[in-house]
Amino acid sequence: MRTPLCDDLGIEYPVIAFTPSEHVAAAVSRAGGLGVLGCVRFNEAEELEAVLDWMDANTDGRPYGVDIVMPNKVPTEGSAGDLTELIPAEHRAFVERTLRELGVPELPEGEAGAGVLGWLHSVARSHVEVALKHRIALIANALGSPPQDVIDAAHDKGVKVAALAGRATHARSHVASGVDIVIAQGYEAGGHTGEIASMVLLPEIVDAVGEDATVVAAGGIGSGRQIAAALALGADGVWMGSYWLTTTEYLETMSGSRTMQDALVAATSADTVRTRIFSGKPARLLKTRWTEAWEQPGAPSALPMPLQNLLVGEAHKRISVSGDPSVVAMPVGQIVGRMNAVRPVAEIMAELVGDFEDSVDRLNLAR
Ligand SMILES: Cc1cc2nc3c(=O)[nH]c(=O)nc-3n(C[C@H](O)[C@H](O)[C@H](O)COP(=O)(O)O)c2cc1C
């Protein structure tokens, strides 16, 4: 399982792992892939600084990357306090009423939940500044090409730039901006996602990009067979997100995630929904009583980014503390149907490689 991407990034296998957990990211890099740490959860640059120091010390000198979120259409800037004032009272009342009806308790005294601010350009720029002082091999951006000065600053340090694309037009505009790696992300994917399935999207993007950039496949990958299929469709590697949520290392970063993992392990590929209730932009989440409540008659529409996540930030914390798997609020893709146990990253990587090799042998036999 080797492609030119392995030489470009200095990795053994063309498997890139998006994850909000530094423990997962480091384990993927140690196992021969490229761990990419999602930075959006860091509202303070100092927290990210400490975590990247830890990554430098725990990746055995192997490369890793970071993922930032700088939406093309800049959301409102401002402090959490100012932005929170823009949230209508009707929305607040709906969230409060819904949590009560779902039986989600209040937070213990002294605990508070915060919404995500990492998708404000001012905060994301602080992530870039911190990341470029560390030993990173890649900066990826969701929701558009990163601004030109971010691409230039990365290239000046020899860091590759990647961006997610849900349509061929997005891919072409990334390449025109100087992006090195286009992540073709299909509809099946967890988190923010477009409307075109991987099977159709991937060859479209490969053809649209030609020799001008490397293409990696994202959305619905959780086996070596699917990696072989992605390479057959023209990709040079894969980018996986959901599959790492049910790893033992994930629990080391997010200690309260056992309930979430139980819910994912029990879910089938039919148990996700694409909805704007997480961030204000369409994102695929686990379908639960929480997501269903937003589809009932009388429920308000989601607010635009970044207000929606500020609205539900505390609700997410309350839900995660509640320990009730039937209300989990978690981005995950349709591949959740294959996530049937909580396992260490190294075991998953070994299985991906073995299954890929079996698939290629089978295809060779069919020639
Ligand atoms: C919990 C979760 C959070 C995500 N957050 C981000 C993010 O902050 N930035 C980003 O570029 N992609 C994010 N994604 C999308 C992943 O980068 C990736 O494209 C996607 O998970 C691939 O599809 P898969 O879920 O089928 O593996 C997220 C995905 C999940 C499951």
Side-chain angles (χ1 to χ4, degrees):
M1 191 156 86
R2 225 185 141 74
T3 68
L5 179 71
C6 298
D7 298 322
D8 288 349
L9 293 173
I11 54 180
E12 205 174 329
Y13 306 117
V15 174
I16 311 182
F18 167 88
T19 172
S21 154
E22 64 272 23
H23 292 91
V24 174
V28 170
S29 288
R30 289 195 306 268
L34 188 81
V36 173
L37 179 72
C39 295
V40 78
R41 74 181 168 92
F42 298 100
N43 285 353
E44 303 295 333
E46 297 74 36
E47 286 174 81
L48 177 63
E49 179 89 57
V51 167
L52 293 186
D53 286 346
W54 183 91
M55 288 286 295
D56 286 340
N58 287 279
T59 35
D60 294 350
R62 303 218 185 189
Y64 69 90
V66 295
D67 177 279
I68 52 167
V69 185
M70 295 183 100
N72 237 345
K73 292 195 192 109
V74 185
T76 321
E77 286 291 342
S79 69
D82 294 345
L83 290 168
T84 304
E85 282 179 19
L86 300 175
I87 296 173
E90 177 211 349
H91 282 74
R92 286 181 195 293
F94 171 78
V95 169
E96 227 10 83
R97 190 171 65 247
T98 302
L99 291 173
R100 212 171 33 248
E101 285 168 8
L102 295 176
V104 177
E106 303 273 343
L107 286 176
E109 193 68 22
E111 276 202 46
V116 168
L117 291 174
W119 30 54
L120 298 180
H121 275 215
S122 52
V123 179
R125 276 184 183 283
S126 74
H127 296 157
V128 173
E129 207 174 297
V130 168
L132 286 176
K133 285 193 263 156
H134 287 78
R135 201 175 42 71
I136 56 166
L138 178 84
I139 292 188
N141 188 46
L143 305 177
S145 306
Q148 197 60 51
D149 62 304
V150 169
I151 297 180
D152 294 344
H155 285 166
D156 282 351
K157 298 244 173 181
V159 172
K160 300 269 185 218
V161 177
L164 278 87
R167 291 178 182 223
T169 48
H170 300 163
R172 274 195 293 270
S173 101
H174 290 334
V175 172
S177 311
V179 163
D180 309 291
I181 299 172
V182 173
I183 304 157
Q185 195 217 40
Y187 171 80
E188 314 88 313
H192 293 126
T193 186
E195 290 171 310
I196 307 172
S198 292
M199 190 77 163
V200 171
L201 181 73
L202 185 51
E204 244 175 45
I205 289 189
V206 167
D207 291 346
V209 161
E211 299 293 308
D212 298 332
T214 300
V215 177
V216 301
I221 297 172
S223 68
R225 269 174 286 168
Q226 286 157 323
I227 298 176
L231 299 195
L233 291 171
D236 215 25
V238 296
W239 169 280
M240 296 163 56
S242 295
Y243 216 61
W244 314 106
L245 294 172
T246 45
T247 55
T248 40
E249 288 86 349
Y250 190 87
L251 271 180
E252 290 179 45
T253 310
M254 321 281 178
S255 57
S257 296
R258 176 63 79 188
T259 305
M260 178 274 286
Q261 290 187 327
D262 288 347
L264 299 187
V265 165
T268 73
S269 53
D271 294 329
T272 70
V273 58
R274 188 170 169 269
T275 167
R276 295 200 302 115
I277 68 165
F278 195 80
S279 70
K281 290 186 183 289
R284 186 173 301 285
L285 309 184
L286 185 68
K287 197 193 291 175
T288 60
R289 293 197 299 137
W290 167 248
T291 61
E292 279 165 0
W294 286 83
E295 286 170 9
Q296 297 308 310
S301 309
L303 298 170
M305 184 182 257
L307 299 183
Q308 179 66 18
N309 196 270
L310 291 172
L311 167 68
V312 295
E314 183 162 327
H316 287 167
K317 180 83 182 277
R318 280 174 63 177
I319 284 171
S320 102
V321 173
S322 76
D324 178 355
S326 76
V327 291
V328 161
M330 191 65 199
V332 75
Q334 294 177 339
I335 197 66
V336 70
R338 280 189 78 84
M339 295 157 53
N340 297 326
V342 175
R343 298 187 293 156
V345 165
E347 189 181 312
I348 292 175
M349 283 292 282
E351 187 178 279
L352 291 175
V353 174
D355 188 37
F356 172 85
E357 283 166 359
D358 290 348
S359 309
V360 173
D361 288 348
R362 216 171 36 249
L363 288 173
N364 276 332
L365 282 178
R367 286 175 78 193

